[in-house]
Amino acid sequence: MGTPVSQMSVSTRLQRIAELSREAPERAFLSLAHYIDLELLHEAFRRTRKDGAPGVDRQTGREYEERLDERLISLLDRFKTRTYKAPPVRRVWIPKGDGSERPLGIPTFEDKVLQRAVAMVLEAVYEQDFLPCSHGYRPGRSARTALTELDQVLMRMGGGWVLELDIRKFFDSLSHSHLRRILEQRVRDGVLRCSIDKWLAAGVMEGVELSLPDAGTPQGGVISPLLANVYLHEVLDRWFEREVKPRLRGRAWLIRYADDAVLVFTAETDARQVMSILPERFAQYGLTLHPDKTRLLEFHPPRKDQEPPQPGGRSFDFLGFTHHWARSRRGFWVVKRKTASSRFSRALKRISAWLRGTLHEPVRWQHQQLVAKLLGHYDYYGLPGNWKMLDRLRYETERIWRKWLGRRNRQRAMNWERFSRLLERYPLPRPKYKSRHCAANA
């Protein structure tokens, strides 16, 4: 297994980088590669999933672990001497809620380890720069913290004008030249920058065809989320906080998770003004906003003489949830969230496809896997006001399971009576209601 890693030593080292970055916000680091040694590579290996899909070399994490010290020593030497060759990522396609697919790049396991090590060092630098509005792929932050902040802003202000941003194919169109200029402001270490350049130029392997895109960073790469945050910190976050907000008449907030973002304004004129200048701002960095999915809507609670808003009317989607106004138990208008219809449909399609592919597996094993899938869904979507959607997913999963079990033996129909007896032995878990207080502190 190799030499035990002193996590405290690695932590202290990264903390030192963070202190230097915090003390000098305008400082450009000329030397960072010396912080990456065998000890830090061991820690990067520890943090890398061993059961993930293999890359183009088909080597698994467990296979890499067999001669770990020898492999890491070789990796460190190639990294420091700039002779490391970044292999292309293996492309797979993941279905989206609208029926289309998005590409996912899978690096080799060794590449994941080195990317993790470099990302750990860069994160220590940039975490001191990133703003509170950014929630994606950051320590102590998540989609849940972004949703909680949005909920608090809307409730505190009694709604507002909401601007939904949708960046068209962000990970495919991120400009390499602009990214290099942005990195130059803080990181000028030649060894790190050489490795990043190699990853950007490594290309994508799909089947036997290799493509070398001149823009973008593959979704799925370990370092890609950090590079995306660095890019959008410059393009959107810092620009909005430092240049836009001081010029507005009312108040405004930006909540961003990776390339998903919403802006909330108290004044309609501010919202329309920002909406008009955003395309030009993004175009300066090679990005475009989706004309149909980027939209501005008024999101205030209905007046006393108004009926409750119709579904799809005064509502918007963010991070898989539809946000809408509804009455609380005490009769007040509150912002509630339910699973977005596209995400709900996608979840059911995946469950159906999975059951079809495991049609003849033992029922006990199918049950164990379905329980895990439902609990994983509940964990993300288990917010106050969303219990009905969660329970509906459980019910629809039962129906789909019965349908596919019926295909196993057409001569013996799986009617509801027989299936009900099966569910008594293999019940699917019901969602547990979470209070607003619990969700806010999750």
Side-chain angles (χ1 to χ4, degrees):
M1 182 54 195
T3 306
V5 180
S6 170
Q7 295 182 34
M8 179 64 72
S9 177
V10 171
S11 176
T12 302
R13 205 174 313 168
L14 296 176
Q15 184 61 37
R16 176 56 181 160
I17 300 174
E19 291 173 358
L20 293 172
S21 178
R22 187 165 50 250
E23 291 169 0
E26 305 300 324
R27 172 180 181 172
F29 287 85
L30 303 177
S31 178
L32 286 171
H34 65 279
Y35 287 102
I36 298 179
D37 58 8
L38 187 60
E39 193 175 29
L40 193 138
L41 284 181
H42 268 285
E43 176 62 10
F45 169 82
R46 188 187 70 83
R47 297 187 187 186
T48 303
R49 282 185 55 185
K50 313 302 183 295
D51 58 349
V56 292
D57 63 355
R58 297 295 175 177
Q59 186 179 53
T60 67
R62 299 304 177 191
E63 292 171 344
Y64 191 85
E65 190 176 10
E66 291 175 359
R67 304 199 323 269
L68 183 59
D69 276 348
E70 177 185 337
R71 297 182 193 277
L72 292 184
I73 290 171
S74 171
L75 176 61
L76 181 63
D77 178 69
R78 285 175 283 140
F79 167 68
K80 291 293 181 72
T81 58
R82 306 191 192 190
T83 57
Y84 178 76
K85 296 182 179 180
V89 299
R90 181 170 67 88
R91 172 166 285 174
V92 296
W93 292 89
I94 306 298
K96 297 177 66 174
D98 58 4
S100 62
E101 295 180 312
R102 68 178 178 89
L104 184 68
I106 304 176
T108 64
F109 184 81
E110 182 174 69
D111 210 35
K112 292 178 184 178
V113 172
L114 185 56
Q115 285 192 33
R116 178 79 61 190
V118 172
M120 289 162 64
V121 172
L122 292 181
E123 183 181 272
V125 174
Y126 281 104
E127 268 300 310
Q128 319 314 310
D129 298 346
F130 291 156
L131 301 176
C133 61
S134 170
H135 294 264
Y137 307 102
R138 295 182 57 193
R141 291 171 174 268
S142 63
R144 184 62 59 87
T145 63
L147 291 165
T148 299
E149 182 183 354
L150 177 59
D151 179 66
Q152 292 173 346
V153 167
L154 292 171
M155 289 301 297
R156 186 168 62 245
M157 301 309 302
W161 289 84
V162 175
L163 177 55
E164 298 178 76
L165 294 188
D166 188 282
I167 306 173
R168 175 177 280 171
K169 297 184 178 180
F170 169 72
F171 283 93
D172 294 334
S173 54
L174 182 150
S175 166
H176 293 174
S177 59
H178 284 302
L179 176 61
R180 292 187 183 99
R181 283 196 289 270
I182 293 170
L183 288 170
E184 187 76 12
Q185 299 173 22
R186 287 294 255 161
V187 178
R188 297 179 186 172
D189 179 286
V191 177
L192 261 68
R193 294 292 300 275
C194 178
S195 297
I196 293 173
D197 285 343
K198 289 180 178 179
W199 286 320
L200 294 175
V204 176
M205 182 72 74
E206 188 169 0
V208 295
E209 295 186 7
L210 175 66
S211 59
L212 300 172
D214 56 4
T217 177
Q219 285 183 269
V222 175
I223 203 168
S224 293
L226 178 60
L227 296 180
N229 271 338
V230 170
Y231 202 83
L232 288 175
H233 169 75
E234 178 69 22
V235 176
L236 181 60
D237 302 356
R238 190 166 68 167
W239 169 76
F240 184 73
E241 292 293 332
R242 296 187 180 182
E243 298 185 34
V244 176
K245 285 178 67 172
R247 294 178 170 85
L248 300 179
R249 295 182 177 181
R251 284 178 286 179
W253 293 264
L254 165 66
I255 298 98
R256 181 176 66 81
Y257 184 92
D259 60 329
D260 291 322
V262 293
L263 296 94
V264 182
F265 302 86
T266 57
E268 179 184 2
T269 54
D270 290 339
R272 295 196 179 280
Q273 180 182 1
V274 172
M275 187 177 183
S276 68
I277 62 176
L278 273 173
E280 181 181 352
R281 173 66 182 181
F282 278 83
Q284 292 174 5
Y285 291 85
L287 302 175
T288 57
L289 294 175
H290 197 293
D292 299 324
K293 297 180 181 179
T294 297
R295 65 177 186 132
L296 176 66
L297 75 152
E298 182 183 3
F299 191 74
H300 290 100
R303 298 189 302 270
K304 292 183 179 180
D305 57 341
Q306 287 181 316
E307 293 295 322
Q310 296 297 315
R314 190 178 285 117
S315 66
F316 66 95
D317 290 353
F318 182 57
L319 297 181
F321 288 90
T322 297
H323 301 251
H324 61 101
W325 290 103
R327 293 281 191 183
S328 69
R329 292 183 178 180
R330 300 175 62 185
F332 299 109
W333 286 111
V334 296
V335 177
K336 290 195 175 182
R337 296 159 294 192
K338 63 180 181 181
T339 309
S341 59
S342 60
R343 296 294 184 94
F344 186 86
S345 299
R346 185 195 308 178
L348 288 181
K349 287 179 182 178
R350 287 179 175 176
I351 289 172
S352 182
W354 179 83
L355 283 169
R356 180 180 182 181
T358 59
L359 182 62
H360 297 291
E361 296 294 336
V363 172
R364 179 188 296 273
W365 180 82
Q366 284 186 341
H367 172 254
Q368 292 174 345
Q369 300 301 311
L370 286 174
V371 168
K373 292 178 185 296
L374 286 177
L375 291 178
H377 186 93
Y378 297 164
D379 185 58
Y380 183 82
Y381 290 99
L383 294 181
N386 198 34
W387 188 90
K388 289 183 178 180
M389 292 294 289
L390 300 184
D391 201 49
R392 182 183 162 199
L393 182 79
R394 178 198 58 80
Y395 170 74
E396 295 293 344
T397 299
E398 288 180 351
R399 293 180 65 252
I400 295 171
W401 194 17
R402 185 185 77 87
K403 181 188 82 170
W404 287 111
L405 287 176
R407 304 285 178 89
R408 292 161 72 113
N409 187 352
R410 295 182 182 274
Q411 296 179 348
R412 189 182 181 192
M414 179 59 73
N415 55 37
W416 276 106
E417 181 181 353
R418 185 179 167 210
F419 185 63
S420 296
R421 291 197 300 270
L422 183 143
L423 284 179
E424 291 178 1
R425 186 176 180 183
Y426 300 109
L428 296 181
R430 286 183 175 273
K432 293 182 179 180
Y433 175 78
K434 291 184 179 180
S435 69
R436 182 174 293 271
H437 175 75
C438 293
N441 291 281

